[in-house]
Amino acid sequence: QVELVESGGGLVQPGGSLRLSCWASGSTFTINDMGWYRQVPGKQRELVAVINSGSTTTYSDSVKGRFAISRDNANKIVYLQMNSLKPEDTAVYHCNIKGTRRGKGWSTVNLDLWGQGTQVTVSS
C-alpha cells in the first residue's frame, strides 16, 4: 500500500514563493520518474515538471526559470520549488510517481501513483 502525501500549498502574493513536497509512504517499491502536474477548473491537466531517476529535469515553458523540481531518493520525496509566482500559476497541484514493484516470479508491476492535490493560489 503506497500513498502520496502532499504538502506546501497555500495562498501567496504575486512574486512570492512556495515549496511543495510529496512523500511516498507505505510499501517499498522502485521509483523511476517523479513529477508535478496542475489543473484548473475547465482546463486540462498540464505537466509542470518531471525529474527522472538520473535527476534529469523537464519543465513546462510557462514555468521554466521560475520553478525547480528535485528529489530526495533516500526519503522518497519529490519537491517543487516555486518562485516568482504569477496569478496564472493558481491551480491544484498533483504529484505523480512512476515506478515498479516485484510481481509474481520474475515479473514486475508498473505503478503510476497520484497525490490527492494541494491548492496553490496566487493573488494580491
Side-chain angles (χ1 to χ4, degrees):
Q1 301 86 333
V2 180
E3 182 182 14
L4 304 188
V5 182
E6 302 181 18
S7 63
L11 175 65
V12 66
Q13 297 279 96
S17 297
L18 287 173
R19 190 192 194 197
L20 306 183
S21 301
C22 176
W23 173 47
S25 67
S27 302
T28 300
F29 69 104
T30 299
I31 297 174
N32 297 127
D33 295 342
M34 308 176 82
W36 290 92
Y37 295 75
R38 66 188 182 187
Q39 188 168 30
V40 300
K43 285 199 168 187
Q44 291 270 45
R45 183 183 65 192
E46 67 171 340
L47 172 70
V48 177
V50 171
I51 182 167
N52 71 9
S53 59
S55 295
T56 299
T57 58
T58 302
Y59 297 95
S60 166
D61 287 341
S62 64
V63 307
K64 195 173 299 181
R66 299 188 296 119
F67 292 8
I69 189 171
S70 60
R71 59 193 287 167
D72 178 345
N73 291 326
N75 294 297
K76 299 183 292 182
I77 303 171
V78 58
Y79 300 99
L80 185 67
Q81 179 65 48
M82 309 165 67
N83 300 321
S84 302
L85 282 162
K86 305 174 180 180
E88 49 263 47
D89 295 318
T90 296
V92 176
Y93 285 70
H94 296 265
C95 63
N96 171 248
I97 296 181
K98 293 181 170 65
T100 59
R101 66 172 176 85
R102 190 65 177 268
K104 185 178 180 180
W106 295 99
S107 68
T108 58
V109 178
N110 293 325
L111 302 177
D112 190 356
L113 308 173
W114 292 89
Q116 64 183 2
T118 184
Q119 177 71 48
V120 172
T121 302
V122 185
S123 176
S124 58

